Amino acid sequence: MLPYEQGIVYSALLHHRMITDNPQGRQLQKNEAEACRYLTNCSEHERRDFDDFLSAQGLAVKTFDAINFGIIPNPKCCNQIHVLHRCRGEKLAPFFDQGWFIDDMKDQRSKVTKADTIIWFSRLWLTLQYFFYNRISRHPKQISQYDKALVFTERFIEVVKKGIEDLGNAGRPEGEAGAMWDALWDDSVKIETWVAKFMRVMLKSGVIEETGVKNEYRQSLPAAVDMALNADYDLAYLMPPDDLGDMERRSIMLITGAPVPASSIRREVQDATD
Amino acid sequence: MENGLIPPAITVMAATSRLIDLQHSRGASVYVPEPGPKSGIYTGIALLVLETLHSLETERGTGYITVSELFSFISQSAADITLEDLEFVLLSLSKEREICFSVPDDETGNLAIGHVRDKTKLVDLAESRGQVRITDSASLFLRICENEISWLYDESDALKIITALTHNKFKDIPTICRNISLELAKKARLLTDLIEHPTREEQGQILVSDGPDINKNLNNTKETIQSALRMILELSTIEAFNQWAVTWKPDFELGNLHTELEVLLQSAEAVTRRFVEFLDIAQQRKEVLPSYHQFLEIADHLVFNYNDGIVPQLESIMRSSIPAEAPLWWFDPSTLPGTIDLYDLLESKLDAPPAKSYDVSGTDSPAARHFMDFIEKNRAFIYERLASGPLSFSELVSSTMVSLDEGYSAFDFLGVYVSPHVLDGGDGDRRRIIVGLPQGDFRQTDAGSLIISSDPIIMLEQ
């Protein structure tokens, strides 16, 4: 791969996050086929150089054989899919803006604080993952099922409304512990507005993609890859502990990244599959 | 059910059940019937009856068997089956029912309605109701179930390619290849799902235990495809194809068939690799099960266990989960003459790249005019030099013969190696410029900057 070709590949990956020369259900994007061919046909040494180049910026490329997603090989194509993702534990290059979504979620006219924006965004993001995973009994590691992960905006709003209603019925936690409750309950009349902004941000970031049906979206492959790589680590910090006695052992396992033993969570799996 | 496995006959039945329900739909609302209290038992008895009758037919030939003998056979499989239930099921399976259907009519261009009754009986009961035999429809149903039973890849599909080549049925080969590709893609997806889904252990164990046979079948398939590839290259096949093509005038060549088979072979190899990967992972995964995240539960837990540290933690997680945005307006591959240090660029506060670069986008930018001026000035020298042989970039850079004004360097010339046509037609010379790209890098220091590039060669067309 010449440096010029590396540039084409890098540019295509930054713009589109996923490149393939045999796309399903859409047209080829600019430079996509060319970039895919360069990346597929380069030598091992050249690929290592390119991986080092990306790694210095906190990025990496994951390559899949398209046939593993049930895509029939096309004799004229390389039949591979390359997805750009962040390297866990590596610092992202400084020219990336990681907080852009907070600005996009803010409404310039109203006086919503940054904390409230993050609270609403997180709630909606967790609800979106419920649609992509829990509702279809799918584990975050099941990348190949991304095309079955759909969300219909109307139904999404219903689930968010129901969740906040249940919070209201449960009652406000005492004192400062009720700050998150206040942020959600007080602004519950604007759920549709929050959801509309959230969906726009999700589309812009490439987490969801359009399906051709109005207000119905599907999880993108890059988003599925990100969740498969990060869910078990990031979300573990937010999960309620099963029992306090197990806290020390769970903490050690979270820090070292060790998998949770079956005996600790067999009940969890049972509940998920029932 | 203890092991969670669904019998293949039930899978086939389930696949057709909604079509049957449409038979009773009135169109006002979607009709979804509820099963009766003993539906499961009657269905189980029915499938046992059909399998037993089919098995006896294989041993004894077609003919009636007494109901009492049938009862004794199926009681061995399930002791709680009663004779009354068996008789009810036999009576039910022996009755015809009407199936309405419609197919497109070529003449009218609309749907033409049809009915069928006789294909719906699964058993024939003698008048006495004391003897029973299986019908052809039931045998067809069981044959379909048998195909569903085995995951083992059916290598007879690959053998069809050899048969088609032997009998000069070249037109069928692309369709056969496509069907096999589709089947391979489905198997690859199934394996991917089993690798990714940590709790489908029982289904995975079946594949692990059938591993040697599945592996053997995949290898046989690859060998068959390789034989087909060799056959295609034989003189006899080429002659047969040419003769066939004169009559049938196909829209493909023998080379296209060769390419299809190569892609098929690659697919078979990919599925084999995937299967090996699956066996590896299935045998490693023993006691460790990953956790399932209940996302809505997490959301509620955060509300009722809020503290000051939660919002920064959430912000940090969201920043790492949502893809970051990059301001890409300053980046274009044409600004990469060799390697570039992005951090250095950032430190120079995103200034335009140094003048020692070129713009081949064809726009009328200062950089493009700069480059074209340079070319015009040195065109004569380049053609004169090329007349005596090819010119490498490293040689050009070292040359003192190139006329340089202030602010120019020999590196401005790198662009001509990418767009040699800008030199074409100089001084009435109509010969084309050709660029070759050998292996290896060329390193040169210029005004304190280290430039690393390839070392292309240009030559005049002979």
Side-chain angles (χ1 to χ4, degrees), chain B residues 68-280:
Chain B
S68 51
E69 191 182 358
L70 178 63
F71 178 65
S72 69
F73 273 119
I74 66 171
S75 295
Q76 290 167 22
S77 302
D80 56 344
I81 296 175
T82 64
L83 185 60
E84 288 77 18
D85 284 341
L86 173 62
E87 284 171 347
F88 170 77
V89 167
L90 289 176
L91 193 60
S92 190
L93 294 179
S94 67
K95 294 289 181 201
E96 286 180 353
R97 62 155 292 163
E98 187 163 312
I99 294 287
C100 304
F101 65 94
S102 56
V103 291
D105 188 325
D106 290 334
E107 283 177 13
T108 61
N110 297 328
L111 289 172
I113 307 288
H115 306 266
V116 65
R117 291 187 72 93
D118 57 337
K119 304 286 182 196
T120 58
K121 274 172 62 167
L122 295 180
V123 299
D124 273 329
L125 265 183
E127 268 194 24
S128 63
R129 295 192 185 174
Q131 295 192 89
V132 63
R133 68 175 179 176
I134 195 171
T135 62
D136 290 340
S137 298
S139 298
L140 170 65
F141 175 76
L142 291 172
R143 266 204 307 280
I144 293 169
C145 294
E146 270 171 17
N147 282 339
E148 175 61 20
I149 286 171
S150 173
W151 185 91
L152 297 179
Y153 177 71
D154 188 355
E155 56 189 278
S156 64
D157 273 356
L159 289 171
K160 285 180 193 167
I161 303 174
I162 304 288
T163 310
L165 281 172
T166 309
H167 292 95
N168 300 336
K169 302 279 183 198
F170 299 104
K171 197 171 167 213
D172 295 338
I173 294 175
T175 309
I176 296 170
C177 287
R178 188 157 177 86
N179 289 340
I180 299 174
S181 284
L182 182 61
E183 199 55 37
L184 283 171
K186 282 185 194 166
K187 301 310 180 202
R189 186 158 178 156
L190 170 69
L191 287 169
T192 302
D193 191 42
L194 286 170
I195 287 170
E196 288 173 349
H197 195 160
T199 57
R200 288 174 60 181
E201 201 178 326
E202 298 85 4
Q203 290 194 4
Q205 284 309 317
I206 292 173
L207 296 189
V208 169
S209 59
D210 283 343
D213 289 331
I214 295 173
N215 199 39
K216 187 178 154 201
N217 278 326
L218 283 171
N219 285 333
N220 288 345
T221 302
K222 284 190 292 183
E223 279 170 20
T224 306
I225 298 172
Q226 280 162 346
S227 303
L229 280 165
R230 284 190 292 270
M231 266 183 83
I232 274 192
L233 295 175
E234 286 170 7
L235 193 57
S236 53
T237 311
I238 297 171
E239 283 170 0
F241 179 85
N242 290 337
Q243 220 170 346
W244 174 83
V246 167
T247 316
W248 290 91
K249 295 185 182 23
D251 56 1
F252 57 84
E253 298 287 333
L254 203 56
N256 298 121
L257 294 183
H258 193 268
T259 306
E260 294 244 11
L261 287 174
E262 276 182 346
V263 170
L264 200 58
L265 183 63
Q266 283 166 18
S267 302
E269 284 166 352
V271 176
T272 308
R273 277 196 304 273
R274 200 69 172 150
F275 184 63
V276 169
E277 195 183 325
F278 159 73
L279 286 177
D280 205 26

Side-chain angles (χ1 to χ4, degrees), chain A residues 120-138:
Chain A
W120 269 100
F121 186 87
S122 310
R123 178 108 192 159
L124 296 176
W125 185 84
L126 287 165
T127 308
L128 186 67
Q129 304 315 316
Y130 156 77
F131 274 86
F132 288 162
Y133 295 99
N134 297 141
R135 216 166 70 101
I136 56 173
S137 300
R138 175 183 168 220

Side-chain angles (χ1 to χ4, degrees), chain B residues 50 62 84 121 164 214 267 270 384 387 406 435 440:
Chain B
L50 295 180
T62 55
E84 288 77 18
K121 274 172 62 167
I214 295 173
S267 302
E384 189 189 321
E406 196 177 320
V435 178

